[in-house]
Amino acid sequence: MAMKKKPVTGMKDILPREMEIRDYAIGLIKDTYRSFGFTSVETPAVEHIENLSSNQGGENEKLIFKILKRGDKLTSAVSKMATEPDTGILTDSGLRYDLTLPLSRYYANNANDLPSPFKALQMGSVWRADRPQRGRYRQFMQCDIDILGEPGIIAEIELILATTTLLGKLDFSRFTIRINDRRILKAMAAYSGFDEADYDTVFIILDKMDKIGLDGVREELLKEGYATDKVDKYLGMYSKLVGDGSSDNSNSEEYDSAAKAESSIANIRLIKDTLGDYLDDEVSENLETIITSVENAKSADFGVQFDPTLVRGMSYYTGPIFEISMDEYGGSVGGGGRYDEMIGKFTGQQTPAVGFSIGFERIVMLLLESDFQVPGAGTKKAYLIEKKMPADKLRKILEKAKEERENGTTVNVSIMKKNKKFQKEKMQEEGYTEFEEFFCDREF
Amino acid sequence: MAMKKKPVTGMKDILPREMEIRDYAIGLIKDTYRSFGFTSVETPAVEHIENLSSNQGGENEKLIFKILKRGDKLTSAVSKMATEPDTGILTDSGLRYDLTLPLSRYYANNANDLPSPFKALQMGSVWRADRPQRGRYRQFMQCDIDILGEPGIIAEIELILATTTLLGKLDFSRFTIRINDRRILKAMAAYSGFDEADYDTVFIILDKMDKIGLDGVREELLKEGYATDKVDKYLGMYSKLVGDGSSDNSNSEEYDSAAKAESSIANIRLIKDTLGDYLDDEVSENLETIITSVENAKSADFGVQFDPTLVRGMSYYTGPIFEISMDEYGGSVGGGGRYDEMIGKFTGQQTPAVGFSIGFERIVMLLLESDFQVPGAGTKKAYLIEKKMPADKLRKILEKAKEERENGTTVNVSIMKKNKKFQKEKMQEEGYTEFEEFFCDREF
């Protein structure tokens, strides 16, 4: 059978230049998050199909790569297919589509061996059989930090500080952490008279605010059949908070994170006053504390902004939610939130949980495009040795290489090619700056 | 549907203690191999089923996790199943079972963008639907270095030096690199009168020498129906080389790597003299040079030994083959060899290639069992803060944490629990040695 050279549809081979940036970013991520007390964990790439199909994954559940049963189980499933043509019986597992569901299972399975609260760092590939598009792949790396077992907002604050410290070390600046709370979203909808059953539909439309503006949202809500008085009451609040709803394209010259925080606090207080009993005071006070604490203790150059239109897709969020926006990149480069009810689905026992995921692939893409230079890679030196080097001379060369490597230099020992000039040029492209040549008939 | 807590059969959740060792080992591997001029590459976990079934994977091809087709392709395959009950049509891809086949495809696909020779480092998970056994999992990490495009033995020497330097840095010592050459194996069989068609069977039996000894091998060869004169001639040589064939259980007090190298050279010369024209002189001379070069330029405490009974399972090897033996561990903790004909299967153009894979999971297991302490992890400090800390005091705590983290200390900010003593004890188990307490009503 002919061998296929290209990777499977939608997946990619990663070339050395990108790997250098990935490896550097991975090292930095581990070091930074470790300094905040997070410990690495790993779950298998393959998960039970029952868990993957448990309605915790939203739209992603439609995109599962399913794994075929094996042996007798497959034979038996296939013979059943004749009378019951349901492809579901062919599979018992699939590739994970995120790291949150596996982490919940992991915690349920290992809670006795884990500290409490448990601060987990996970880096790993996930798979989604999405329609292939430019820059989006069917296998991609996710990088999540989660704090399980801590109900207080110290968890949210630490997650945001850890993530933004990391981004700062990767030379990103002037980005914005947008923050909201699912309970504010709900209270605003309740206050306006929407039924709880309609919240998800309303939020999906609200989520488009930065694309279609306040008028667009109004139009879509009315088209959905909601009464004009509810819609007007609802959008009346948003109009006070976000103006006409178009995204805040403030000139980056004028970037002022203290002003962002200040206007956020004002907006939160406005909402609190408007909603009255619809919103628990603690929710707005906590959001204020998160914003002021992050603004004051941050170690990177960014702003925190309360964004009452921030929705986050996943319905499992229960409290504060957040997202990273960067001007260089049209969309979100990461996000997260509190999901206090997911782990109970496995354990039967409620466990508070909050997580923050950075868009590793997008960050690598931004670094690649900005021609980011990996710092501190050390000297790269090439030894070019003539073919058929006698054993005793080869030994001397290898001993010299050993010494230099022990001193931190990369030494690439290669056979000298006929076109030595071209060989050196190619190696220079790979970052080799020093060359040493060894000939069979010369002393060294 | 009920959620399942355990991982899927044969796969495992990795706990923090093991992850700490894994992360440390991964960092050391990348640094060490980088100093030898290797660059990281990555291929997708999912490969074309045609490539995985191309007879390059030996027994592993029976253990593929196959991925179900999706959408219209699945519907069409299922309807075909009614008349053609071949489960093969249900799948178009599968999880990779090793890193060698994907690397060959990668090289074929990207050769124009890669240096020549290309020194690749790959670390990644592979999947085999093996019968679950203690200590062996269906998902495990492989760690391979390969040099593509270099026909000379400098490639073998550099691979062995890089791998052994790494093992030395991981505190392993007194292990043995066993080395042989597929062409010596073949020449010994040819000299004894075996037909080429019988080589694979003969080698599979020879491979058991360290378990069943010379007499056991003799018995099995005769049982297979080979003529006594061939078997006698064949084993006559081995008897001179390895004595009675039982494995070399020399007392570790007497570990003498120079003697190992010396006896290896003597044995190679003995074989060379015996085989005469059956063996190209270059093969034995190269093997000698590899052994003496490694013995002289090595930077760890180990020995190299010529082992004429070393076979290595995969039929794709074409030249030198090697394996790492450790007394602490009954079997091999890594191996590799030259496979000059595999890449041509993709490209149609022969490309010399040689690789060395370490048994990452075994190495991690040995480190875990030996209670290995990850060096240089830095101070781990816990801030225990009282609940409901006022925002202004929280800010001070976070600023202090920021400062300490910038100085390299891990700072874990946690809410103080009622049972503070127990909380501290648990954190001490995690490596926290310093504690600082913050109360709402005290100054700090």
Side-chain angles (χ1 to χ4, degrees):
Chain A
M1 210 183 305
M3 305 275 262
K4 292 188 171 180
K5 285 189 197 184
K6 297 270 168 214
V8 297
T9 311
M11 300 194 188
K12 71 166 177 173
D13 289 333
I14 305 178
L15 290 168
R17 162 79 183 129
E18 179 177 341
M19 278 306 293
E20 197 189 352
I21 287 179
R22 294 175 83 92
D23 280 348
Y24 172 73
I26 289 170
L28 205 61
I29 289 167
K30 284 183 183 166
D31 286 349
T32 306
Y33 288 160
R34 201 180 286 133
S35 81
F36 280 80
F38 290 90
T39 52
S40 292
V41 302
E42 207 177 290
T43 62
V46 181
E47 273 288 340
H48 301 286
I49 200 75
E50 294 91 333
N51 292 354
L52 294 175
S53 316
S54 62
N55 288 319
Q56 297 298 311
E59 286 298 298
N60 296 329
E61 293 193 6
K62 297 180 189 154
L63 308 174
I64 301 170
F65 281 99
K66 293 174 182 162
I67 292 174
L68 205 58
K69 286 182 181 170
R70 290 157 303 285
D72 294 346
K73 286 185 183 167
L74 178 60
T75 316
S76 136
V78 165
S79 63
K80 261 192 209 156
M81 289 279 292
T83 54
E84 187 188 328
D86 167 17
T87 57
I89 63 173
L90 293 171
T91 179
D92 53 8
S93 58
L95 297 178
R96 62 184 179 201
Y97 50 73
D98 74 5
L99 299 178
T100 307
L101 182 98
L103 180 68
S104 300
R105 189 197 51 66
Y106 177 99
Y107 187 75
N109 188 33
N110 301 293
N112 289 340
D113 298 316
L114 299 173
S116 170
F118 176 47
K119 297 176 136 185
L121 160 62
Q122 281 186 98
M123 305 189 71
S125 291
V126 303
W127 292 263
R128 294 179 192 168
D130 232 327
R131 189 183 299 273
Q133 343 174 5
R134 202 174 160 275
R136 278 182 74 172
Y137 292 94
R138 289 180 160 190
Q139 171 178 330
F140 56 98
M141 173 101 113
Q142 281 201 335
C143 173
D144 289 12
I145 43 176
D146 292 87
I147 301 180
L148 310 184
E150 174 52 66
I153 54 165
I154 186 71
E156 278 86 346
I157 294 170
E158 286 281 272
L159 287 177
I160 297 173
L161 287 176
T163 303
T164 52
T165 300
L166 169 70
L167 292 174
K169 286 188 187 170
L170 284 168
D171 276 355
F172 289 106
S173 63
R174 300 194 160 195
F175 51 91
T176 302
I177 303 290
R178 292 156 63 217
I179 185 165
N180 195 6
D181 192 300
R182 290 289 289 193
R183 292 163 296 184
I184 292 183
L185 275 174
K186 287 181 182 173
M188 286 175 80
Y191 170 80
S192 311
F194 289 102
D195 292 335
E196 204 168 332
D198 293 327
Y199 288 177
D200 279 344
T201 315
V202 171
F203 297 162
I204 287 169
I205 296 170
L206 178 69
D207 201 19
K208 302 180 186 170
M209 183 79 84
D210 60 338
K211 290 199 186 81
I212 61 176
L214 207 67
D215 291 343
V217 170
R218 186 187 152 81
E219 205 172 302
E220 289 207 16
L221 285 173
L222 291 174
K223 205 160 53 182
E224 200 63 41
Y226 298 117
T228 316
D229 62 327
K230 289 184 195 174
V231 173
D232 282 345
K233 193 167 178 189
Y234 193 52
L235 295 184
M237 278 186 292
Y238 281 104
S239 130
K240 281 188 211 156
L241 296 163
V242 298
D244 66 356
S246 64
S247 49
D248 171 35
N249 284 318
S250 56
N251 196 312
S252 62
E253 300 335 76
E254 298 163 28
Y255 189 93
D256 180 346
S257 73
K260 266 185 211 281
E262 211 172 296
S263 76
S264 296
I265 303 298
N267 277 340
I268 291 170
R269 292 191 181 163
L270 180 61
I271 284 183
K272 186 188 154 174
D273 292 343
T274 310
L275 295 179
D277 284 347
Y278 282 90
L279 185 69
D280 192 337
D281 276 358
E282 213 187 325
V283 173
S284 53
E285 281 160 20
N286 279 345
L287 207 51
E288 277 194 33
T289 308
I290 294 172
I291 292 172
T292 52
S293 300
V294 169
E295 175 63 18
N296 283 290
K298 69 188 184 183
S299 65
D301 174 22
F302 70 96
V304 207
Q305 187 156 44
F306 168 56
D307 181 351
T309 71
L310 180 69
V311 171
R312 298 284 301 157
M314 314 306 286
S315 57
Y316 56 63
Y317 287 120
T318 57
I321 47 179
F322 22 84
E323 210 164 273
I324 312 165
S325 293
M326 276 188 197
D327 282 350
E328 304 95 292
Y329 184 81
S332 151
V333 294
R338 183 169 280 279
Y339 54 101
D340 282 350
E341 281 157 23
M342 189 192 245
I343 292 171
K345 298 245 158 79
F346 284 97
T347 57
Q349 198 183 334
Q350 293 294 56
T351 303
V354 52
F356 203 150
S357 176
I358 53 164
F360 182 84
E361 302 291 346
R362 287 171 199 176
I363 285 168
V364 167
M365 197 196 71
L366 289 171
L367 293 174
L368 259 173
E369 285 174 358
S370 72
D371 228 8
F372 179 80
Q373 292 303 314
V374 170
T379 309
K380 291 174 84 173
K381 192 166 182 175
Y383 286 7
L384 302 182
I385 66 176
E386 224 182 351
K387 256 190 188 167
K388 318 228 174 204
M389 185 64 63
D392 58 325
K393 289 197 165 171
L394 183 59
R395 197 175 308 170
K396 276 170 94 174
I397 295 168
L398 292 170
E399 275 161 15
K400 192 174 152 76
K402 173 183 155 188
E403 240 170 71
E404 293 213 71
R405 284 167 181 156
E406 280 167 359
N407 292 327
T409 302
T410 289
V411 180
N412 191 331
V413 181
S414 293
I415 301 296
M416 195 181 288
K417 296 194 178 174
K418 277 180 195 154
N419 191 340
K420 204 167 57 183
K421 187 161 166 281
F422 182 71
Q423 183 180 15
K424 285 187 184 174
E425 280 169 11
K426 295 301 279 182
M427 293 196 88
Q428 274 163 344
E429 286 173 20
E430 285 182 78
Y432 287 88
T433 52
E434 292 179 30
F435 296 88
E436 207 163 328
E437 300 177 9
F438 300 88
F439 297 89
C440 298
D441 59 357
R442 291 190 211 159
E443 283 311 310
F444 46 80
Chain B
M1 211 182 310
M3 305 277 261
K4 293 188 170 180
K5 283 190 198 184
K6 296 271 168 214
V8 297
T9 311
M11 300 193 188
K12 71 166 177 174
D13 287 334
I14 305 178
L15 289 168
R17 161 79 183 128
E18 178 176 339
M19 278 307 293
E20 197 189 351
I21 288 179
R22 294 175 84 92
D23 280 348
Y24 172 74
I26 289 171
L28 205 61
I29 288 167
K30 284 183 183 166
D31 286 349
T32 305
Y33 288 160
R34 200 180 286 133
S35 80
F36 280 80
F38 290 90
T39 52
S40 291
V41 303
E42 207 177 291
T43 63
V46 181
E47 273 288 339
H48 301 284
I49 200 74
E50 294 92 333
N51 291 355
L52 294 174
S53 316
S54 62
N55 289 317
Q56 298 298 312
E59 287 297 299
N60 295 331
E61 293 193 5
K62 297 178 189 157
L63 308 173
I64 301 170
F65 281 99
K66 292 172 183 164
I67 293 175
L68 204 59
K69 287 181 182 171
R70 291 159 303 284
D72 294 347
K73 285 183 185 170
L74 178 59
T75 315
S76 136
V78 165
S79 63
K80 262 192 210 156
M81 289 279 291
T83 53
E84 187 189 329
D86 167 16
T87 57
I89 63 172
L90 294 170
T91 180
D92 53 7
S93 58
L95 296 177
R96 62 186 178 198
Y97 49 73
D98 75 5
L99 299 178
T100 307
L101 182 98
L103 179 68
S104 300
R105 187 196 52 65
Y106 177 98
Y107 187 75
N109 188 32
N110 301 292
N112 288 341
D113 298 315
L114 300 173
S116 170
F118 176 47
K119 297 175 136 187
L121 160 61
Q122 280 186 99
M123 305 191 70
S125 291
V126 303
W127 291 265
R128 294 179 193 169
D130 232 326
R131 188 182 300 273
Q133 334 173 14
R134 202 176 159 275
R136 277 182 73 172
Y137 293 93
R138 289 179 161 192
Q139 170 178 329
F140 56 97
M141 174 100 115
Q142 282 202 333
C143 173
D144 289 12
I145 43 175
D146 292 87
I147 301 180
L148 310 185
E150 174 53 65
I153 55 166
I154 186 70
E156 279 86 347
I157 294 169
E158 286 280 274
L159 287 177
I160 297 172
L161 288 175
T163 303
T164 54
T165 299
L166 169 70
L167 292 174
K169 286 189 187 170
L170 284 167
D171 275 355
F172 289 105
S173 63
R174 298 192 162 198
F175 52 91
T176 303
I177 303 291
R178 292 155 64 216
I179 185 166
N180 196 6
D181 192 301
R182 291 288 291 191
R183 291 163 297 183
I184 292 183
L185 275 173
K186 287 182 182 174
M188 287 176 78
Y191 169 80
S192 310
F194 289 103
D195 292 335
E196 205 168 330
D198 293 326
Y199 289 176
D200 279 342
T201 314
V202 170
F203 296 161
I204 287 169
I205 296 170
L206 177 70
D207 201 19
K208 303 180 186 171
M209 183 78 85
D210 61 337
K211 291 200 185 80
I212 61 177
L214 206 67
D215 290 345
V217 170
R218 185 187 153 82
E219 205 171 300
E220 290 208 15
L221 285 173
L222 291 174
K223 205 160 54 181
E224 199 64 41
Y226 298 117
T228 315
D229 62 328
K230 288 184 196 174
V231 173
D232 282 345
K233 193 168 177 187
Y234 192 50
L235 295 184
M237 276 187 294
Y238 280 104
S239 130
K240 281 188 211 154
L241 295 164
V242 297
D244 66 357
S246 65
S247 52
D248 173 34
N249 284 320
S250 54
N251 195 313
S252 63
E253 299 336 75
E254 299 162 29
Y255 189 93
D256 181 346
S257 73
K260 267 186 210 278
E262 213 172 292
S263 77
S264 296
I265 303 298
N267 276 340
I268 291 169
R269 291 191 181 163
L270 180 62
I271 284 183
K272 183 188 158 176
D273 291 344
T274 310
L275 295 179
D277 284 347
Y278 281 90
L279 185 68
D280 192 336
D281 276 357
E282 214 186 322
V283 173
S284 53
E285 281 160 20
N286 279 344
L287 208 52
E288 279 193 31
T289 308
I290 295 172
I291 292 171
T292 52
S293 300
V294 169
E295 175 63 18
N296 283 291
K298 70 187 184 183
S299 64
D301 174 22
F302 69 97
V304 207
Q305 187 155 43
F306 168 56
D307 181 351
T309 71
L310 180 70
V311 170
R312 300 283 300 156
M314 313 307 286
S315 58
Y316 56 63
Y317 288 120
T318 56
I321 48 179
F322 22 84
E323 209 164 273
I324 312 165
S325 292
M326 276 187 197
D327 281 350
E328 303 96 292
Y329 184 81
S332 150
V333 294
R338 184 169 279 279
Y339 55 101
D340 283 349
E341 281 157 22
M342 189 191 244
I343 292 170
K345 299 244 158 78
F346 283 96
T347 56
Q349 196 182 336
Q350 292 295 57
T351 303
V354 52
F356 204 149
S357 176
I358 54 164
F360 182 83
E361 301 291 345
R362 287 171 199 176
I363 285 167
V364 167
M365 198 196 70
L366 290 170
L367 292 174
L368 259 174
E369 285 173 357
S370 71
D371 227 9
F372 178 80
Q373 293 303 314
V374 170
T379 308
K380 289 174 86 173
K381 191 166 185 174
Y383 285 9
L384 302 182
I385 65 176
E386 224 182 352
K387 256 189 188 168
K388 318 229 171 200
M389 185 64 65
D392 58 324
K393 288 196 166 171
L394 183 60
R395 195 176 308 169
K396 275 171 97 175
I397 295 169
L398 292 170
E399 274 162 16
K400 191 173 153 75
K402 173 183 156 187
E403 240 170 70
E404 293 213 71
R405 285 167 181 155
E406 280 168 359
N407 293 327
T409 302
T410 289
V411 180
N412 190 332
V413 181
S414 292
I415 301 296
M416 195 180 290
K417 296 193 179 176
K418 278 180 194 153
N419 192 338
K420 204 167 59 185
K421 187 161 166 282
F422 182 71
Q423 184 180 15
K424 284 186 184 174
E425 280 168 13
K426 294 302 280 182
M427 293 197 88
Q428 274 163 345
E429 285 173 21
E430 286 181 78
Y432 286 88
T433 52
E434 292 180 29
F435 296 88
E436 207 162 328
E437 301 176 9
F438 301 88
F439 297 90
C440 298
D441 59 357
R442 290 190 214 161
E443 282 309 311
F444 46 81

